[in-house]
Protein backbone atom coordinates (compact mmCIF):
# COMPACT_ATOMS: atom_id res chain seq x y z
CA UNK A 1 0.00 0.00 0.00
CA UNK A 2 1.02 3.50 -0.68
CA UNK A 3 0.89 5.30 2.62
CA UNK A 4 1.62 8.93 3.40
CA UNK A 5 5.19 7.94 4.21
CA UNK A 6 5.99 6.83 0.69
CA UNK A 7 4.38 9.98 -0.75
CA UNK A 8 6.54 12.03 1.56
CA UNK A 9 9.53 10.01 0.53
CA UNK A 10 8.83 10.78 -3.12
CA UNK A 11 8.27 14.45 -2.39
CA UNK A 12 11.65 14.46 -0.66
CA UNK A 13 13.24 13.15 -3.84
CA UNK A 14 12.44 16.43 -5.55
CA UNK A 15 15.49 18.70 -5.54
CA UNK A 16 15.62 21.91 -3.53
CA UNK A 17 14.90 25.09 -5.50
CA UNK A 18 18.50 26.32 -5.37
CA UNK A 19 19.90 23.05 -6.58
CA UNK A 20 17.42 22.92 -9.42
CA UNK A 21 18.34 26.47 -10.42
CA UNK A 22 22.03 25.47 -10.47
CA UNK A 23 21.34 22.45 -12.63
CA UNK A 24 19.15 24.41 -15.05
CA UNK A 25 21.60 27.33 -15.23
CA UNK A 26 24.33 25.09 -16.52
CA UNK A 27 24.99 26.28 -20.05
CA UNK A 28 21.75 28.21 -20.40
CA UNK A 29 22.08 31.97 -20.87
CA UNK A 30 18.96 32.82 -18.93
CA UNK A 31 18.85 35.38 -16.11
CA UNK A 32 18.67 34.10 -12.59
CA UNK A 33 15.34 35.68 -11.67
CA UNK A 34 13.68 33.77 -14.49
CA UNK A 35 15.34 30.47 -13.55
CA UNK A 36 14.26 30.93 -9.95
CA UNK A 37 10.66 31.76 -10.85
CA UNK A 38 10.56 28.87 -13.33
CA UNK A 39 12.09 26.42 -10.82
CA UNK A 40 9.49 27.31 -8.21
CA UNK A 41 6.62 26.76 -10.57
CA UNK A 42 8.04 23.55 -12.05
CA UNK A 43 8.47 22.16 -8.53
CA UNK A 44 4.92 23.20 -7.62
CA UNK A 45 3.59 21.31 -10.61
CA UNK A 46 5.70 18.24 -9.81
CA UNK A 47 4.58 18.26 -6.18
CA UNK A 48 0.93 18.60 -7.13
CA UNK A 49 1.34 15.67 -9.53
CA UNK A 50 2.78 13.43 -6.83
CA UNK A 51 0.02 14.34 -4.40
CA UNK A 52 -2.70 13.80 -6.97
CA UNK A 53 -1.60 10.32 -7.96
CA UNK A 54 0.39 9.08 -4.99
CA UNK A 55 0.29 5.43 -6.06
CA UNK A 56 1.59 5.66 -9.58
CA UNK A 57 3.89 8.61 -9.94
CA UNK A 58 7.60 8.57 -9.59
CA UNK A 59 9.38 11.79 -8.84
CA UNK A 60 10.76 13.23 -12.10
CA UNK A 61 14.54 13.13 -12.47
CA UNK A 62 16.82 16.12 -12.01
CA UNK A 63 17.64 16.52 -15.73
CA UNK A 64 13.99 16.26 -16.70
CA UNK A 65 13.09 18.98 -14.21
CA UNK A 66 15.99 21.18 -15.28
CA UNK A 67 14.86 20.89 -18.90
CA UNK A 68 11.37 22.04 -17.95
CA UNK A 69 12.83 24.92 -15.96
CA UNK A 70 14.91 26.08 -18.95
CA UNK A 71 11.92 26.08 -21.31
CA UNK A 72 9.78 27.91 -18.84
CA UNK A 73 12.49 30.42 -17.95
CA UNK A 74 13.09 31.23 -21.64
CA UNK A 75 9.36 31.86 -21.98
CA UNK A 76 9.50 34.26 -19.04
CA UNK A 77 12.35 36.15 -20.68
CA UNK A 78 10.55 36.74 -23.94
CA UNK A 79 9.28 40.34 -24.14
CA UNK A 80 5.52 40.63 -24.18
CA UNK A 81 3.19 41.33 -25.95
CA UNK A 82 4.50 39.19 -28.78
CA UNK A 83 4.10 40.16 -32.37
CA UNK A 84 1.69 37.74 -34.07
CA UNK A 85 0.74 37.32 -37.72
CA UNK A 86 -2.96 37.93 -38.22
CA UNK A 87 -4.28 35.80 -41.07
CA UNK A 88 -7.88 35.93 -39.83
CA UNK A 89 -8.87 38.82 -42.07
CA UNK A 90 -10.49 40.54 -39.09
CA UNK A 91 -8.98 44.00 -39.34
CA UNK A 92 -9.87 45.31 -35.88
CA UNK A 93 -9.33 42.26 -33.72
CA UNK A 94 -9.72 43.22 -30.08
CA UNK A 95 -7.80 40.15 -28.88
CA UNK A 96 -4.93 41.06 -31.18
CA UNK A 97 -4.60 44.66 -30.04
CA UNK A 98 -7.06 46.27 -32.47
CA UNK A 99 -5.58 48.91 -34.78
CA UNK A 100 -1.95 48.49 -35.84
CA UNK A 101 -0.40 51.97 -35.80
CA UNK A 102 1.06 53.65 -38.84
CA UNK A 103 4.84 53.65 -39.04
CA UNK A 104 4.78 57.43 -38.56
CA UNK A 105 2.69 57.16 -35.41
CA UNK A 106 4.92 54.40 -34.06
CA UNK A 107 7.99 56.59 -34.65
CA UNK A 108 6.31 59.47 -32.82
CA UNK A 109 5.58 57.16 -29.88
CA UNK A 110 9.21 56.10 -29.71
CA UNK A 111 10.35 59.73 -29.89
CA UNK A 112 7.97 60.78 -27.11
CA UNK A 113 8.91 57.79 -25.02
CA UNK A 114 12.68 58.05 -24.91
CA UNK A 115 13.11 61.72 -24.14
CA UNK A 116 11.54 64.68 -22.42
CA UNK A 117 8.90 66.67 -24.26
CA UNK A 118 6.81 69.82 -23.98
CA UNK A 119 3.82 67.69 -22.97
CA UNK A 120 2.62 70.18 -20.38
CA UNK A 121 4.86 73.14 -21.05
CA UNK A 122 4.23 76.14 -23.22
CA UNK A 123 7.65 76.74 -24.79
CA UNK A 124 6.63 80.32 -25.71
CA UNK A 125 5.87 81.47 -22.18
CA UNK A 126 7.79 78.91 -20.19
CA UNK A 127 4.64 78.27 -18.20
CA UNK A 128 2.58 75.21 -17.73
CA UNK A 129 0.73 74.30 -20.93
CA UNK A 130 -2.32 72.25 -21.74
CA UNK A 131 -1.68 68.57 -22.06
CA UNK A 132 -4.26 68.13 -24.78
CA UNK A 133 -3.69 71.45 -26.55
CA UNK A 134 -2.51 70.41 -29.99
CA UNK A 135 -4.49 67.20 -30.25
CA UNK A 136 -7.61 69.07 -29.21
CA UNK A 137 -7.07 71.54 -32.01
CA UNK A 138 -6.50 68.78 -34.56
CA UNK A 139 -9.68 67.02 -33.48
CA UNK A 140 -11.68 70.23 -33.79
CA UNK A 141 -10.13 71.00 -37.16
CA UNK A 142 -10.81 67.51 -38.50
CA UNK A 143 -14.42 67.41 -37.32
CA UNK A 144 -15.64 70.98 -36.95
CA UNK A 145 -16.44 70.24 -33.30
CA UNK A 146 -16.43 73.12 -30.81
CA UNK A 147 -14.27 71.26 -28.37
CA UNK A 148 -12.70 67.87 -27.74
CA UNK A 149 -11.34 65.75 -24.94
CA UNK A 150 -9.27 62.57 -24.97
CA UNK A 151 -9.28 59.93 -22.23
CA UNK A 152 -8.01 56.41 -21.82
CA UNK A 153 -10.60 54.59 -23.93
CA UNK A 154 -14.17 54.97 -25.08
CA UNK A 155 -15.54 53.14 -22.04
CA UNK A 156 -13.83 55.82 -19.95
CA UNK A 157 -15.30 58.57 -22.14
CA UNK A 158 -18.82 57.17 -21.59
CA UNK A 159 -18.23 56.85 -17.85
CA UNK A 160 -16.84 60.37 -17.60
CA UNK A 161 -19.60 61.94 -19.70
CA UNK A 162 -22.36 60.35 -17.67
CA UNK A 163 -20.72 61.05 -14.35
CA UNK A 164 -19.86 64.66 -15.11
CA UNK A 165 -23.10 65.57 -16.87
CA UNK A 166 -25.77 63.47 -15.17
CA UNK A 167 -24.68 62.80 -11.59
CA UNK A 168 -27.71 61.91 -9.45
CA UNK A 169 -29.90 62.25 -12.51
CA UNK A 170 -31.68 59.94 -14.93
CA UNK A 171 -30.05 58.88 -18.18
CA UNK A 172 -32.59 57.67 -20.70
CA UNK A 173 -31.52 54.77 -22.90
CA UNK A 174 -33.47 52.52 -25.25
CA UNK A 175 -33.82 48.87 -24.19
CA UNK A 176 -32.65 48.06 -27.72
CA UNK A 177 -29.30 49.68 -26.89
CA UNK A 178 -28.44 47.95 -23.61
CA UNK A 179 -25.52 46.38 -25.40
CA UNK A 180 -22.47 44.42 -24.44
CA UNK A 181 -19.32 45.01 -26.43
CA UNK A 182 -16.63 42.37 -26.11
CA UNK A 183 -17.62 41.29 -22.60
CA UNK A 184 -15.69 44.02 -20.85
CA UNK A 185 -18.02 46.85 -21.79
CA UNK A 186 -21.69 46.65 -20.87
CA UNK A 187 -23.56 49.87 -21.17
CA UNK A 188 -25.78 49.31 -18.11
CA UNK A 189 -22.77 48.41 -15.99
CA UNK A 190 -20.77 51.46 -17.04
CA UNK A 191 -23.80 53.53 -16.16
CA UNK A 192 -23.88 51.78 -12.82
CA UNK A 193 -20.30 52.85 -12.16
CA UNK A 194 -21.13 56.48 -12.77
CA UNK A 195 -23.29 58.50 -10.43
CA UNK A 196 -26.01 58.64 -13.09
CA UNK A 197 -29.12 56.46 -12.95
CA UNK A 198 -30.16 54.35 -15.91
CA UNK A 199 -33.76 54.64 -17.02
CA UNK A 200 -34.64 52.11 -19.72
CA UNK A 201 -37.15 53.18 -22.30
CA UNK A 202 -39.04 51.34 -25.05
CA UNK A 203 -38.66 47.65 -25.77
CA UNK A 204 -35.89 45.49 -27.14
CA UNK A 205 -37.02 45.77 -30.73
CA UNK A 206 -39.00 49.01 -30.83
CA UNK A 207 -38.37 52.31 -29.16
CA UNK A 208 -40.26 55.42 -30.20
CA UNK A 209 -39.65 59.07 -29.54
CA UNK A 210 -42.70 59.10 -27.26
CA UNK A 211 -41.05 56.46 -25.03
CA UNK A 212 -38.28 58.94 -24.30
CA UNK A 213 -40.73 61.79 -23.90
CA UNK A 214 -42.86 59.81 -21.42
CA UNK A 215 -39.79 58.94 -19.34
CA UNK A 216 -38.55 62.52 -18.95
CA UNK A 217 -39.26 63.46 -15.36
CA UNK A 218 -37.96 66.12 -12.99
CA UNK A 219 -34.74 64.12 -12.45
CA UNK A 220 -33.87 63.69 -16.10
CA UNK A 221 -30.19 64.40 -16.76
CA UNK A 222 -29.35 63.24 -20.28
CA UNK A 223 -30.45 61.24 -23.31
CA UNK A 224 -28.01 58.54 -24.39
CA UNK A 225 -27.87 56.84 -27.75
CA UNK A 226 -25.56 53.85 -28.09
CA UNK A 227 -24.44 52.50 -31.42
CA UNK A 228 -25.31 48.80 -31.74
CA UNK A 229 -21.77 48.20 -32.84
CA UNK A 230 -21.58 44.46 -33.00
CA UNK A 231 -25.01 43.30 -34.07
CA UNK A 232 -27.88 44.24 -36.33
CA UNK A 233 -31.60 44.14 -35.62
CA UNK A 234 -33.97 43.10 -38.37
CA UNK A 235 -37.68 42.56 -38.67
CA UNK A 236 -40.27 44.45 -36.63
CA UNK A 237 -38.00 47.16 -35.30
CA UNK A 238 -38.00 50.87 -34.72
CA UNK A 239 -35.64 53.31 -33.13
CA UNK A 240 -35.72 57.04 -32.59
CA UNK A 241 -33.03 58.72 -34.65
CA UNK A 242 -30.59 61.36 -33.44
CA UNK A 243 -32.41 64.18 -35.23
CA UNK A 244 -35.74 63.63 -33.54
CA UNK A 245 -34.05 62.95 -30.21
CA UNK A 246 -32.20 66.23 -30.59
CA UNK A 247 -35.46 68.15 -30.85
CA UNK A 248 -36.75 66.50 -27.69
CA UNK A 249 -33.46 67.07 -25.86
CA UNK A 250 -33.55 70.76 -26.80
CA UNK A 251 -37.14 71.13 -25.58
CA UNK A 252 -36.13 69.83 -22.17
CA UNK A 253 -32.67 71.36 -22.09
CA UNK A 254 -31.02 67.96 -21.74
CA UNK A 255 -27.71 66.95 -23.29
CA UNK A 256 -27.94 64.30 -26.01
CA UNK A 257 -24.94 61.97 -25.90
CA UNK A 258 -24.08 59.58 -28.71
CA UNK A 259 -21.79 56.66 -27.93
CA UNK A 260 -20.59 55.88 -31.42
CA UNK A 261 -17.99 53.25 -30.54
CA UNK A 262 -16.20 52.91 -33.84
CA UNK A 263 -15.81 55.88 -36.12
CA UNK A 264 -13.50 58.04 -38.10
CA UNK A 265 -13.29 61.65 -39.18
CA UNK A 266 -13.26 61.03 -42.93
CA UNK A 267 -16.10 59.90 -45.16
CA UNK A 268 -15.44 56.32 -46.26
CA UNK A 269 -18.74 55.75 -48.04
CA UNK A 270 -17.17 56.43 -51.44
CA UNK A 271 -14.83 53.53 -50.63
CA UNK A 272 -17.65 51.11 -49.85
CA UNK A 273 -17.59 51.49 -46.08
CA UNK A 274 -21.00 52.78 -45.09
CA UNK A 275 -20.05 54.39 -41.80
CA UNK A 276 -20.82 58.10 -41.52
CA UNK A 277 -18.07 60.28 -40.08
CA UNK A 278 -18.27 60.84 -36.34
CA UNK A 279 -18.99 64.54 -36.84
CA UNK A 280 -22.25 63.57 -38.55
CA UNK A 281 -23.51 62.80 -35.05
CA UNK A 282 -22.93 66.43 -34.11
CA UNK A 283 -24.57 67.83 -37.24
CA UNK A 284 -27.50 65.49 -36.61
CA UNK A 285 -27.97 67.16 -33.25
CA UNK A 286 -25.98 65.22 -30.64
CA UNK A 287 -24.32 67.49 -28.09
CA UNK A 288 -21.52 65.00 -27.55
CA UNK A 289 -20.16 62.17 -29.65
CA UNK A 290 -17.91 59.57 -28.05
CA UNK A 291 -15.74 57.07 -29.95
CA UNK A 292 -12.61 54.93 -29.75
CA UNK A 293 -9.16 55.87 -31.00
CA UNK A 294 -8.20 52.33 -31.98
CA UNK A 295 -11.16 51.21 -34.03
CA UNK A 296 -11.95 52.70 -37.46
CA UNK A 297 -9.88 55.78 -36.65
CA UNK A 298 -6.79 53.59 -36.86
CA UNK A 299 -4.94 55.20 -33.96
CA UNK A 300 -3.93 54.30 -30.41
CA UNK A 301 -6.29 53.13 -27.68
CA UNK A 302 -8.14 56.24 -26.57
CA UNK A 303 -11.62 57.57 -25.92
CA UNK A 304 -12.48 60.74 -27.78
CA UNK A 305 -15.29 63.11 -26.85
CA UNK A 306 -16.36 65.78 -29.32
CA UNK A 307 -19.00 68.43 -28.95
CA UNK A 308 -20.34 71.40 -27.04
CA UNK A 309 -17.71 73.44 -25.24
CA UNK A 310 -19.61 73.79 -21.96
CA UNK A 311 -20.18 70.03 -21.71
CA UNK A 312 -16.59 69.14 -22.60
CA UNK A 313 -15.44 71.70 -20.02
CA UNK A 314 -17.52 70.00 -17.32
CA UNK A 315 -15.95 66.68 -18.26
CA UNK A 316 -12.47 68.16 -18.39
CA UNK A 317 -12.72 69.70 -14.91
CA UNK A 318 -14.20 66.60 -13.29
CA UNK A 319 -11.97 64.77 -10.80
CA UNK A 320 -12.55 61.61 -12.75
CA UNK A 321 -10.91 63.15 -15.84
CA UNK A 322 -7.58 63.21 -14.02
CA UNK A 323 -7.87 59.50 -13.30
CA UNK A 324 -8.73 58.66 -16.91
CA UNK A 325 -6.16 60.81 -18.66
CA UNK A 326 -3.96 59.55 -21.47
CA UNK A 327 -0.20 59.33 -21.48
CA UNK A 328 2.29 61.03 -23.78
CA UNK A 329 2.72 58.00 -26.03
CA UNK A 330 -0.98 57.85 -26.75
CA UNK A 331 -1.09 61.56 -27.47
CA UNK A 332 1.92 61.33 -29.78
CA UNK A 333 0.30 58.49 -31.74
CA UNK A 334 -3.07 60.22 -31.89
CA UNK A 335 -1.49 63.46 -33.05
CA UNK A 336 0.19 61.77 -36.02
CA UNK A 337 -2.88 59.69 -36.84
CA UNK A 338 -5.05 62.80 -37.01
CA UNK A 339 -2.50 64.63 -39.17
CA UNK A 340 -2.50 61.74 -41.63
CA UNK A 341 -6.30 61.90 -41.80
CA UNK A 342 -6.27 65.68 -42.18
CA UNK A 343 -3.79 65.30 -45.05
CA UNK A 344 -6.11 62.73 -46.63
CA UNK A 345 -3.32 60.15 -46.74
CA UNK A 346 -5.64 57.26 -45.95
CA UNK A 347 -3.20 54.69 -47.35
CA UNK A 348 -0.73 55.55 -44.60
CA UNK A 349 -3.02 54.16 -41.93
CA UNK A 350 -2.78 50.37 -41.81
CA UNK A 351 -6.43 49.97 -40.78
CA UNK A 352 -7.70 51.92 -43.76
CA UNK A 353 -5.14 50.42 -46.12
CA UNK A 354 -6.39 46.94 -45.16
CA UNK A 355 -10.06 47.86 -45.27
CA UNK A 356 -9.76 49.59 -48.62
CA UNK A 357 -7.37 47.09 -50.24
CA UNK A 358 -8.52 46.45 -53.83
CA UNK A 359 -9.60 42.83 -54.43
CA UNK A 360 -7.05 42.47 -57.24
CA UNK A 361 -4.24 43.33 -54.85
CA UNK A 362 -5.58 40.86 -52.29
CA UNK A 363 -5.83 38.16 -54.93
CA UNK A 364 -2.23 38.73 -56.01
CA UNK A 365 -1.04 38.54 -52.42
CA UNK A 366 -3.08 35.36 -51.88
CA UNK A 367 -1.47 33.84 -54.99
CA UNK A 368 2.01 34.64 -53.69
CA UNK A 369 1.19 33.18 -50.30
CA UNK A 370 -0.31 30.03 -51.86
CA UNK A 371 2.81 29.60 -53.96
CA UNK A 372 5.07 29.95 -50.94
CA UNK A 373 3.07 27.32 -49.10
CA UNK A 374 2.86 24.97 -52.10
CA UNK A 375 6.62 24.93 -52.49
CA UNK A 376 6.76 23.80 -48.88
CA UNK A 377 4.51 20.87 -49.63
CA UNK A 378 1.16 22.19 -48.50
CA UNK A 379 -1.89 21.58 -50.66
CA UNK A 380 -3.60 24.90 -51.11
CA UNK A 381 -5.79 26.96 -53.37
CA UNK A 382 -6.96 30.54 -53.61
CA UNK A 383 -10.68 30.99 -52.96
CA UNK A 384 -13.03 33.94 -52.71
CA UNK A 385 -13.69 34.90 -49.12
CA UNK A 386 -15.07 38.01 -47.48
CA UNK A 387 -13.30 39.58 -44.53
CA UNK A 388 -14.75 41.41 -41.54
CA UNK A 389 -14.08 44.82 -40.10
CA UNK A 390 -14.20 43.57 -36.49
CA UNK A 391 -13.74 45.61 -33.34
CA UNK A 392 -17.46 46.00 -32.88
CA UNK A 393 -17.86 47.82 -36.17
CA UNK A 394 -20.08 47.15 -39.15
CA UNK A 395 -21.02 43.57 -38.19
CA UNK A 396 -22.90 43.02 -41.44
CA UNK A 397 -20.31 44.35 -43.81
CA UNK A 398 -18.49 41.69 -45.82
CA UNK A 399 -15.43 43.04 -47.54
CA UNK A 400 -14.96 41.13 -50.78
CA UNK A 401 -11.59 39.43 -50.91
CA UNK A 402 -9.63 36.22 -51.20
CA UNK A 403 -8.22 33.57 -48.93
CA UNK A 404 -5.68 30.81 -49.22
CA UNK A 405 -7.35 27.54 -48.37
CA UNK A 406 -4.84 25.10 -46.89
CA UNK A 407 -5.76 21.43 -46.66
CA UNK A 408 -4.59 19.86 -43.46
CA UNK A 409 -3.55 16.21 -43.27
CA UNK A 410 -4.53 15.91 -39.64
CA UNK A 411 -7.15 17.89 -37.79
CA UNK A 412 -7.27 21.51 -38.95
CA UNK A 413 -7.85 22.61 -35.36
CA UNK A 414 -4.62 20.87 -34.32
CA UNK A 415 -2.66 22.58 -37.10
CA UNK A 416 -4.23 25.93 -36.19
CA UNK A 417 -3.09 25.36 -32.64
CA UNK A 418 0.43 24.44 -33.68
CA UNK A 419 0.59 27.64 -35.74
CA UNK A 420 -0.69 29.67 -32.81
CA UNK A 421 2.04 28.24 -30.60
CA UNK A 422 4.71 28.75 -33.25
CA UNK A 423 7.31 31.45 -33.65
CA UNK A 424 6.02 33.87 -34.74
CA UNK A 425 2.50 32.81 -33.79
CA UNK A 426 0.09 32.76 -36.75
CA UNK A 427 -3.66 33.22 -36.25
CA UNK A 428 -5.89 31.63 -38.87
CA UNK A 429 -9.54 30.79 -39.40
CA UNK A 430 -10.73 27.21 -39.66
CA UNK A 431 -13.60 26.68 -42.05
CA UNK A 432 -15.05 23.64 -43.82
CA UNK A 433 -12.32 21.35 -42.61
CA UNK A 434 -9.45 23.51 -43.84
CA UNK A 435 -7.37 26.47 -42.74
CA UNK A 436 -8.25 29.79 -44.30
CA UNK A 437 -5.56 32.47 -44.53
CA UNK A 438 -6.80 35.93 -45.35
CA UNK A 439 -4.02 38.08 -46.81
CA UNK A 440 -5.92 41.32 -46.08
CA UNK A 441 -4.49 41.50 -42.57
CA UNK A 442 -0.97 40.40 -43.57
CA UNK A 443 1.60 42.69 -45.10
CA UNK A 444 3.75 41.19 -47.86
CA UNK A 445 6.49 40.92 -45.31
CA UNK A 446 4.17 39.14 -42.88
CA UNK A 447 3.06 36.79 -45.64
CA UNK A 448 6.61 35.67 -46.31
CA UNK A 449 7.02 34.83 -42.64
CA UNK A 450 3.81 32.80 -42.67
CA UNK A 451 5.50 30.30 -45.01
CA UNK A 452 8.32 29.68 -42.56
CA UNK A 453 5.95 29.55 -39.62
CA UNK A 454 3.92 26.89 -41.45
CA UNK A 455 6.96 24.79 -42.05
CA UNK A 456 7.85 24.92 -38.39
CA UNK A 457 4.23 24.44 -37.26
CA UNK A 458 3.93 21.29 -39.34
CA UNK A 459 7.27 20.01 -38.13
CA UNK A 460 6.32 20.57 -34.51
CA UNK A 461 3.01 18.86 -35.09
CA UNK A 462 4.64 15.74 -36.49
CA UNK A 463 7.17 15.43 -33.67
C1 LIG B 1 -16.12 49.57 -28.64
C2 LIG B 1 -17.22 50.33 -28.01
C3 LIG B 1 -17.09 50.85 -26.72
C4 LIG B 1 -15.85 50.62 -25.91
O1 LIG B 1 -14.78 51.33 -26.43
P1 LIG B 1 -13.30 51.07 -25.86
O2 LIG B 1 -12.47 52.08 -26.58
O3 LIG B 1 -12.98 49.67 -26.17
O4 LIG B 1 -13.36 51.34 -24.40
C5 LIG B 1 -18.14 51.56 -26.21
N1 LIG B 1 -19.27 51.76 -26.91
C6 LIG B 1 -19.43 51.27 -28.16
C7 LIG B 1 -20.72 51.51 -28.85
C8 LIG B 1 -18.41 50.54 -28.76
O5 LIG B 1 -18.56 50.05 -29.98
Amino acid sequence: MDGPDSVNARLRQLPAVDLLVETAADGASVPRWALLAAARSVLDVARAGLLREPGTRRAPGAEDLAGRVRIRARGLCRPWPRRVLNATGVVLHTNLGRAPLSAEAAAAVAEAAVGYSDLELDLETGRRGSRLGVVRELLCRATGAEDALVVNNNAAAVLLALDALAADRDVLLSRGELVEIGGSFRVPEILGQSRARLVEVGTTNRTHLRDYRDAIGPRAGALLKVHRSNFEMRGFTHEAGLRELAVLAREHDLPLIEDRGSGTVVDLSAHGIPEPEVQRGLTDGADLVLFSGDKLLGGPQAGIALGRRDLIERMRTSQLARALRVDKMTLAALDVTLRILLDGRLESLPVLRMLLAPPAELEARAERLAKALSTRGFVCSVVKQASLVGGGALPDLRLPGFAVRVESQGSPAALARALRLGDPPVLVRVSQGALMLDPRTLTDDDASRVGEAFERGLFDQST
Side-chain angles (χ1 to χ4, degrees), residues 94 98 152-158 179-182 184-187 190 225-230 258-263 290-295 300-304 391-393:
T94 298
R98 285 205 192 142
N152 183 55
N153 58 12
N154 190 36
V158 175
V179 302
E180 171 178 308
I181 287 139
S184 55
F185 180 90
R186 286 182 146 191
V187 172
I190 290 281
K225 183 132 184 85
V226 177
H227 198 270
R228 275 192 291 268
S229 300
N230 48 8
E258 184 192 27
D259 173 12
R260 175 64 81 87
S262 184
L290 314 172
F291 64 105
S292 296
D294 56 353
K295 291 184 180 171
Q301 177 189 305
I304 299 168

Side-chain angles (χ1 to χ4, degrees), residues 149 312-322:
L149 181 65
I312 295 277
E313 188 58 26
R314 275 162 70 191
M315 288 168 68
R316 198 195 320 278
T317 51
S318 141
Q319 275 303 308
L320 204 48
R322 176 65 178 76

